[in-house]
Amino acid sequence: MISKNLIKYIRSFEQKKTRDREGLFVAEGPKVVGDLMTMQKPVIIVATDDWIRMHEDACGCKCTVATEDELRKTSFLQHPQQVLALFRIPDTNIHADIFKNELCLALDRIQDPGNLGTIIRIADWFGIHSIFCGEGTADAYNPKTVQASMGSIARVNIVYTNLCDMLDSLPAEVPAYATSLDGSDIYGQDLSKNGIIIMGNEGNGVSREIMDKVKTKLFIPNYSRQKGIDSLNVAIATAVICAEFRRRE
């Protein structure tokens, strides 16, 4: 049986200040929790008796049995999924040469946690291991973001940084791309196997100060040519762009 104090403690992780203070985040559901457990041991697990009996040997920490009703009171989901766990927020160390050897994503003020989680999942799908989040981007360890990533947050490095400073520090030979409505058709551009792709805010795109530091602007053409359709959801646009970069390899 789960105590009221533990329910209150877990619910407090909805707040970023709690996540930052404790260095922990909440993951829910067999898929997300299972993927994270392959990378690190959970700190706390709250789960149904059936889930615990099936995974007891792999848990690596004390488990608290909860009824379905208790899970509903604890969960951040509308429909709780058997298990909820607290994991440590990883320390991320990125090697300075990463941009010379890999393709990375940078996010400028992506505010919606669901979009961020979906982008993390997309990055994982296309073998992109690092995402750099600029100021104003949602917290990757928000429960909504973690859930939307569907476990991919276990395999993608998330780094919060000043994007302008990062771009200024890039070696001259490292290509930087940004999405823009006045960019060049992505299907007619030379695309590299390494470098950084910058995706912008849901409503305003990439900020001017960042765009001024980028040489190549990319645009996804609207083949339907219908009036009123001038942009894609940022997560969908990220998928299209990542697919095109990988197709060229």
Side-chain angles (χ1 to χ4, degrees):
M1 181 175 179
I2 185 170
S3 68
K4 290 182 179 179
N5 284 342
L6 183 53
I7 292 175
K8 183 177 180 181
Y9 178 67
I10 292 171
R11 292 293 306 178
S12 72
F13 282 89
E14 187 172 16
Q15 303 299 318
K16 187 177 185 301
K17 63 180 181 181
T18 303
R19 299 192 293 271
D20 290 344
R21 184 185 69 242
E22 301 292 318
L24 303 171
F25 68 96
V26 177
E28 297 194 56
K31 164 65 174 169
V32 180
V33 171
D35 282 359
L36 283 162
M37 284 174 58
T38 65
M39 306 299 291
Q40 61 165 295
K41 291 182 179 180
V43 176
I44 295 172
I45 289 178
V46 175
T48 61
D49 188 49
D50 287 343
W51 188 93
I52 291 174
R53 277 192 274 114
M54 291 179 62
H55 301 86
E56 193 169 8
D57 293 340
C59 289
C61 72
K62 183 179 179 180
C63 300
T64 298
V65 177
T67 64
E68 295 286 352
D69 186 57
E70 288 170 335
L71 270 180
R72 278 191 290 273
K73 293 177 181 178
T74 312
S75 174
F76 296 100
L77 303 178
Q78 186 174 0
H79 302 290
Q81 301 174 21
Q82 294 184 295
V83 59
L84 175 154
L86 287 176
F87 291 89
R88 298 196 185 281
I89 295 173
D91 293 325
T92 305
N93 296 313
I94 300 295
H95 194 275
D97 289 337
I98 187 172
F99 301 113
K100 295 181 181 180
N101 304 313
E102 295 186 24
L103 189 64
C104 304
L105 287 175
L107 307 180
D108 179 26
R109 300 167 299 138
I110 302 299
Q111 296 176 331
D112 183 81
N115 279 338
L116 176 55
T118 303
I119 289 171
I120 293 169
R121 187 178 181 185
I122 289 165
D124 185 28
W125 181 264
F126 286 104
I128 294 173
H129 305 299
S130 299
I131 297 177
F132 295 84
C133 299
E135 183 178 351
T137 296
D139 181 16
Y141 298 100
N142 180 305
K144 292 180 181 179
T145 306
V146 174
Q147 193 63 28
S149 80
M150 290 301 293
S152 290
I153 199 165
R155 293 176 292 273
V156 178
N157 297 317
I158 311 295
V159 180
Y160 283 81
T161 188
N162 184 301
L163 294 185
C164 285
D165 291 347
M166 185 186 74
L167 290 169
D168 286 339
S169 68
L170 289 180
E173 68 272 19
V174 173
Y177 306 87
T179 53
S180 174
L181 291 177
D182 63 356
S184 300
D185 186 335
I186 186 173
Y187 300 110
Q189 291 297 300
D190 292 329
L191 304 175
S192 64
K193 295 181 180 180
N194 69 307
I196 189 162
I197 305 167
I198 305 165
M199 306 300 298
N201 172 265
E202 289 90 343
N204 301 309
V206 177
S207 65
R208 178 51 54 192
E209 60 178 345
I210 291 176
M211 194 68 79
D212 288 343
K213 299 177 183 294
V214 176
K215 292 182 180 179
T216 306
K217 302 176 185 178
L218 300 175
F219 173 68
I220 302 170
N222 172 7
Y223 285 100
S224 72
R225 305 195 185 285
Q226 294 183 29
K227 293 182 179 180
I229 302 176
D230 59 2
S231 65
L232 290 169
N233 169 276
V234 64
I236 294 173
T238 301
V240 172
I241 287 172
C242 288
E244 184 62 15
F245 269 83
R246 291 312 197 198
R247 189 182 71 85
R248 304 289 187 91
E249 294 183 1

